[in-house]
Amino acid sequence: MPVFPFTEADPIRHPGPPPKTSAVVIVGGGIIGVTTALFLASRNIPVTLLEKGRVAAEQSSRNWGWIRKQGRDADELPIVIEAIRLWRQLAEESGEDIGLTQTGVTYLANADKDMAGFEAFMKIAATHDLDTRLLDADETAKLISGMSRRFKGAMTTPSDMRAEPWLAVPALARLAVRKGARIIENCAARTLDIAAGRIKGVWTEAGYIETSTVLVAGGVWSSLFLARHGVSIPQLSVRVTVAATEPLPEIYAGAAADDHIAFRRRQDCGYTLAGGGSHLLYLGPDAFRHAIKYIPALRNDPFGARYFPFAPSGYPDGWSTPRDWAPDSTSPFERMRVLNPAPEPVRLRAIERNFKQLFPQFEKARLKVGWGGMIDAMPDVVPVMDRVRAVGGLFVATGMSGHGFGIGPGIGRVVSDMIQGNDIGHDLSRFRLQRFYDGSPVRLGPAL
């Protein structure tokens, strides 16, 4: 069984070489790229997925493992509902235990304003016949045992699920390969070959692939890759710290969060823990270039982000990270096969302290492991899923803003049909790239 977090020292499980031609090439081996490849292969469309390091080695395995409808943006919700169905289907098809369990998601209210936010989402939930409901203080205490304090109430969706990301995404990659997809690890896409405004191929570190269609689903690396070709996306990367406890008695089988602590029961009987909304933003060239687009988010949550003046060497928005390179030269993606940020010690201490304050019966519990991750964020906390108008045959699916794991199979199905020119079945106007450049006001997704 692989050791988590994945690194470039892990064995290559999907070796090359890449093919000479492919109908579709996908850049990025996270949940979005993998599931898109899976659905294309299911339609017998030749598809090659290029992963610079290891499948799911970055945020797709480092997230909290929540699969939730609760608290979603109203335009995301129909896709999430589809994703829930697809998670069940794909878990069965994979034949592997990925920890997929329906155990619910609960948000805890510290104050009346929290309850007001929950009530606003209840109107959205009602239009989609969700089983979401509000709880009072007594019902909340009964739902999650052993809490040291009473909450004003809670919002809970019993049909929401959880899974182990570091098991799930590699399992879906293996399923995609069995359906006919080509996945090549340790093979960075360097540049696109564009002629007369259309995709002609992709230059990789292992040679050239002739193709007419490319999907960029590179997570925090998407903006850097596309900017090399004159395509601007106001995407930033923010660093988060997460931890896992040793096995503990069950206090709640699902996932829950308040302003200070988020916790999720794991398959190994421990809990995955994270802070309640604090993240670290490295200030690089892209952060300054796109700063004006993030003003609404900063006004809405002025204390949610902490800032550091420069990113470590080689990070996507690092001051010294190259912005231009030739197809026959080493790219930034080869220099950093796996973006593996260390967890912040001060954040780990705060996570442990807040969890034990809420559950004093676990005072002697220990954190088994901590890790860092980088989230691809957008100014409105809503993804981009679109074709790039300026380049024929170029598509992008990025900026999942910390929501990508749960919605992943839904987006994979949607993008695969977008690429094929099929009826998508959802209104995607909310997710178009041009919303940031056509004068549309930034409409923030829910801060839930």
Side-chain angles (χ1 to χ4, degrees):
M1 181 174 289
V3 176
F4 171 79
F6 306 139
T7 70
E8 61 188 86
D10 280 60
I12 296 172
R13 293 178 168 80
H14 302 280
K20 298 297 184 183
T21 65
S22 184
V24 180
V25 172
I26 296 174
V27 178
I31 182 69
I32 306 303
V34 164
T35 54
T36 303
L38 193 161
F39 286 109
L40 287 169
S42 298
R43 297 285 186 90
N44 297 314
I45 295 173
V47 56
T48 301
L49 185 153
L50 303 173
E51 168 51 51
K52 65 185 177 65
R54 304 294 182 271
V55 164
E58 296 189 357
Q59 192 57 22
S60 284
S61 65
R62 296 163 186 260
N63 60 83
W64 298 359
W66 297 28
I67 300 174
R68 64 179 175 89
K69 302 178 293 293
Q70 179 167 295
R72 289 282 188 169
D73 181 86
D75 292 289
E76 278 187 331
L77 196 47
I79 303 175
V80 179
I81 291 170
E82 180 181 358
I84 296 282
R85 175 181 58 79
L86 291 172
W87 269 113
R88 296 183 187 279
Q89 173 189 319
L90 297 178
E92 183 176 353
E93 287 185 34
S94 77
E96 301 185 41
D97 184 2
I98 62 172
L100 184 68
T101 312
Q102 181 180 312
T103 48
V105 164
T106 298
Y107 291 162
L108 302 165
N110 289 296
D112 290 336
K113 67 177 180 63
D114 298 321
M115 291 300 293
F118 298 166
E119 288 168 0
F121 179 75
M122 289 298 296
K123 298 175 184 176
I124 298 172
T127 65
H128 294 278
D129 296 322
L130 301 188
D131 58 339
T132 307
R133 59 194 179 94
L134 296 180
L135 307 180
D136 62 23
D138 290 339
E139 291 170 321
T140 301
K142 187 179 297 184
L143 180 68
I144 302 177
S145 61
M147 294 190 293
S148 63
R149 58 180 295 260
R150 283 176 66 83
F151 288 88
K152 284 277 186 180
M155 180 171 67
T156 189
T157 304
S159 61
D160 282 350
M161 301 192 295
R162 60 178 169 89
E164 301 303 333
W166 67 284
L167 296 176
V169 184
L172 296 183
R174 289 186 284 271
L175 177 60
V177 169
R178 293 199 298 273
K179 287 181 177 289
R182 292 284 300 270
I183 295 180
I184 316 295
E185 292 182 312
N186 216 59
C187 183
R190 285 179 171 171
T191 64
L192 303 176
D193 182 14
I194 301 171
R198 291 198 59 83
I199 294 288
K200 296 297 182 182
V202 178
W203 288 103
T204 82
E205 63 178 288
Y208 184 81
I209 304 175
E210 182 181 350
T211 186
S212 61
T213 306
V214 172
L215 167 67
V216 176
V220 295
W221 299 96
S222 297
S223 178
L224 180 65
F225 182 87
L226 288 169
R228 161 67 175 73
H229 301 89
V231 178
S232 177
I233 294 184
Q235 173 183 293
L236 302 182
S237 52
V238 295
R239 176 176 161 183
V240 292
T241 293
V242 190
T245 72
E246 61 187 2
L248 295 171
E250 184 173 292
I251 49 175
Y252 181 47
D258 75 345
D259 294 339
H260 306 292
I261 188 70
F263 53 95
R264 192 264 296 176
R265 185 72 166 169
R266 292 167 60 96
Q267 190 182 41
D268 63 6
C269 297
Y271 281 87
T272 291
L273 309 179
S278 176
H279 53 263
L280 178 65
L281 172 63
Y282 294 113
L283 299 178
D286 289 342
F288 283 99
R289 184 177 303 114
H290 302 305
I292 193 170
K293 293 181 172 62
Y294 283 82
I295 289 175
L298 294 174
R299 285 174 176 165
N300 186 62
D301 186 17
F303 305 110
R306 293 167 293 114
Y307 305 94
F308 199 72
F310 56 87
S313 177
Y315 274 44
D317 196 23
W319 290 99
S320 61
T321 300
R323 263 59 185 179
D324 192 17
W325 53 90
D328 59 353
S329 65
T330 302
S331 69
F333 317 112
E334 295 151 76
R335 294 191 177 99
M336 185 165 288
R337 297 284 181 186
V338 175
L339 183 54
N340 186 25
E344 293 182 86
V346 65
R347 292 293 109 192
L348 287 176
R349 289 193 294 271
I351 288 168
E352 183 175 17
R353 180 178 65 251
N354 291 338
F355 183 65
K356 290 180 177 180
Q357 285 178 351
L358 186 57
F359 298 103
Q361 64 270 38
F362 296 146
E363 180 58 37
K364 295 183 179 180
R366 295 176 301 168
L367 297 183
K368 181 171 66 173
V369 63
W371 63 91
M374 299 293 288
I375 292 174
D376 46 325
M378 300 304 294
D380 52 7
V381 204
V382 172
V384 167
M385 292 178 276
D386 205 356
R387 65 175 66 242
V388 177
R389 295 182 183 182
V391 183
L394 179 58
F395 298 80
V396 61
T398 194
M400 298 300 127
S401 302
H403 306 159
F405 178 69
I407 200 175
I411 290 183
R413 199 284 300 166
V414 164
V415 174
S416 71
D417 277 317
M418 181 189 298
I419 287 170
Q420 296 171 71
N422 297 337
D423 179 29
I424 290 169
H426 300 294
D427 179 3
L428 299 186
S429 57
R430 172 79 156 132
F431 310 106
R432 69 193 191 285
L433 175 58
Q434 284 302 114
R435 71 186 190 264
F436 299 113
Y437 304 103
D438 61 8
S440 299
V442 173
R443 178 162 60 93
L444 293 177
L448 294 176

